Amino acid sequence: MEIADTAEERARGLMFRRDLPAEQGMLFIYDSPQPVSFWMRNTLIALDMIFIDARGQVRHIHPMARPLDETAVPGAAPGDPAPDRLMVLEVPGGDAARLGIFPGMALAHPRLPQGVALAPCD
């Protein structure tokens, strides 16, 4: 996974790429949990957007985001009582389901606050 952890890297994301091999993608990491939304401006490939909270829990998945669509994709499902996100993982469209990623599962990453992570790194 590529890491996008600066404002500039997060703004560019996966724009202008013509392909993204299976099991590759980009992990957007924010300095602190916050409400987020994404769009597909200048993004030429379908993506699954996986929204992750500060504990590493997958809170929302937007599958098969349409290329070039400028409609905002919110990082939280309607009614989510805790809409702040620390990370967003973008993978090729269909990979979330193929890999068995689902809302509620815990993902591990060393950049999560390890004291509250549901799946802390060793």
Side-chain angles (χ1 to χ4, degrees):
M1 291 296 143
E2 296 175 50
I3 302 291
D5 60 359
T6 67
E8 181 179 278
E9 291 168 336
R10 289 189 300 263
R12 182 165 175 88
L14 292 169
M15 287 188 205
F16 306 109
R17 305 234 185 142
R18 297 203 176 279
D19 65 351
L20 184 63
E23 298 184 25
Q24 292 189 22
M26 183 171 282
L27 180 63
F28 296 76
I29 304 174
Y30 294 89
D31 295 329
S32 61
Q34 57 195 275
V36 299
S37 66
F38 278 52
W39 61 4
M40 296 289 286
R41 176 182 283 173
N42 299 320
T43 305
L44 308 174
I45 51 180
L47 297 172
D48 290 347
M49 297 177 187
I50 303 162
F51 297 92
I52 305 161
D53 69 15
R55 300 173 308 142
Q57 184 178 34
V58 174
R59 296 297 300 244
H60 179 58
I61 298 174
H62 182 86
M64 297 299 291
R66 292 182 315 218
L68 305 174
D69 187 356
E70 294 189 13
T71 305
V73 175
D80 187 328
D84 291 346
R85 304 293 174 251
L86 184 63
M87 299 178 171
V88 180
L89 178 60
E90 289 185 339
V91 295
D95 263 17
R98 188 178 63 75
L99 295 169
I101 300 171
F102 57 89
M105 77 181 302
L107 301 178
H109 194 277
R111 296 275 300 269
L112 289 167
Q114 296 300 293
V116 297
L118 296 174
C121 297
D122 292 333

